[in-house]
Amino acid sequence: MKRRIFDSIYYVGACDKSKTLFENLFPIPSGMRYNSYLIDDEKTALLDTADEAVRDEFLQNIKDTLKGKPLDYLIVHHAEPDHSALISSVLDIYKTATLVTSPTALKFINQFSGKDFTDRTKTVKEGDTLSLGKHSLSFIAAPMVHWPEVIVSYESATHSLFSADAFGSFGSEQGSLLFSSSKNRDSWTDEARRYYSNIVGRFGNNVTALLNKAAKLKIEKILPLHGIIFDKDCDFAISKYSKWSSYTPENNGVLIVYATMYKNTKYAADLLSALLCEKNIPNKTVDVSYTDISYIISDCFEYKNIVIASPTYYGNMFPKIEQFLSHLKKSAVIGRRIGFIENGTWAPTAAKNMKDFLADMKADFSLPTVTVKSSCDENCIKQIENLAAAIASDFS
Ligand code: FEO
């Protein structure tokens, strides 16, 4: 299908609605969109390819858009296979096209494909430009957003940033590709934060470096490799990225992550939630056994306070809590206030183990620990009241 986005920039990407796990790891209940763009100018340029899963639709879209014109350039911003899997196919079909990419990306493309595209490649670095006619692209290095080879490009005629994985999101909107037509900002924010925090989250400094470069440009459109295209309100997306990359919470409330075996630890988590509600402190409870960790990591980027409640299990924490904490550490989120609730019938040790596990995180661990002995008795209720009061002291 030929699908114009604006000016002479066309959409040739596609979505995969049958895949349930992105990278075989992250749930994508509404599928995943692999964006690719084609600029039709004096010279034609395809900006990135797509995932193997959407091969037929993607190649047909290019054909429908070019309508017999030759393809002059294939520009590759990011060599991860969800965007580079179809490079060989494109270069096979469009035999005179030149591959334009960073030197490191070329190395990765050759490694993945088992071929050597060096003779067909023009390598570019930060500051290099490529004129297509009316449109001109300038390249900006964006290492570790999300791999080391990544470049983004700025198109000066339309003030468009082709941002690679940055500003991408999970899911595939029905119908419109454009932010101006999407149903609401919250749906973009939730899935973009989940994508960001789980995939790029630990590279906050690199994202900040890219944002600093972008701040010198007049950006009116952002075209990422996944999800919605920002045809307006780019400042909204940039302000969210600014918060996430600096690990600034969007919500001063409390995320309560709990595991429970016989509902007693859940009772403690629910009691804390109820007490916080009485104090008008926003909070959210999440059962780690029934919530994919990617959603909880996203919540950890959103909330300022995190309380983790775990039964003691083999003298340690509950296994699913350990799995969550392992991801939390890898996300590299900093500046959170973290508290603990432990439960144990004869030797409660979950809190000490959780604290030790997280000890090298840059976080505030000063909240009082709650110890539940099997079930919540009066002493336990008092401890949870104290914990709620300690959290509330920040709100007064
Ligand atoms: Fe969408 Fe890092 O690939």
Side-chain angles (χ1 to χ4, degrees), residues 22-23 32 78 80 82-83 146-147 165 195 199 225-226:
F22 180 68
E23 295 183 352
M32 194 72 184
H78 182 18
E80 193 166 9
D82 54 332
H83 312 292
H146 129 240
W147 277 15
D165 273 340
Y195 179 87
I199 291 178
L225 287 176
H226 297 289

Side-chain angles (χ1 to χ4, degrees), residues 200-259:
V200 197
R202 68 180 282 110
F203 307 121
N205 289 341
N206 301 80
V207 176
T208 300
L210 175 60
L211 293 177
N212 289 340
K213 293 177 190 178
K216 296 177 186 142
L217 304 167
K218 178 183 178 186
I219 295 174
E220 293 181 346
K221 317 256 196 273
I222 298 175
L223 298 92
L225 287 176
H226 297 289
I228 213 86
I229 295 163
F230 280 84
D231 56 329
K232 60 177 279 201
D233 294 337
C234 294
D235 287 349
F236 170 73
I238 291 169
S239 73
K240 287 292 182 191
Y241 257 60
S242 182
K243 281 210 156 141
W244 299 339
S245 62
S246 59
Y247 305 103
T248 307
E250 294 154 271
N251 187 327
N252 279 331
V254 187
L255 172 69
I256 306 165
V257 183
Y258 68 89

Side-chain angles (χ1 to χ4, degrees), residues 8-26:
S8 43
I9 300 177
Y10 294 83
Y11 186 82
V12 291
C15 34
D16 181 0
K17 288 189 180 288
S18 57
K19 188 178 276 192
T20 54
L21 290 176
F22 180 68
E23 295 183 352
N24 274 342
L25 189 57
F26 305 110

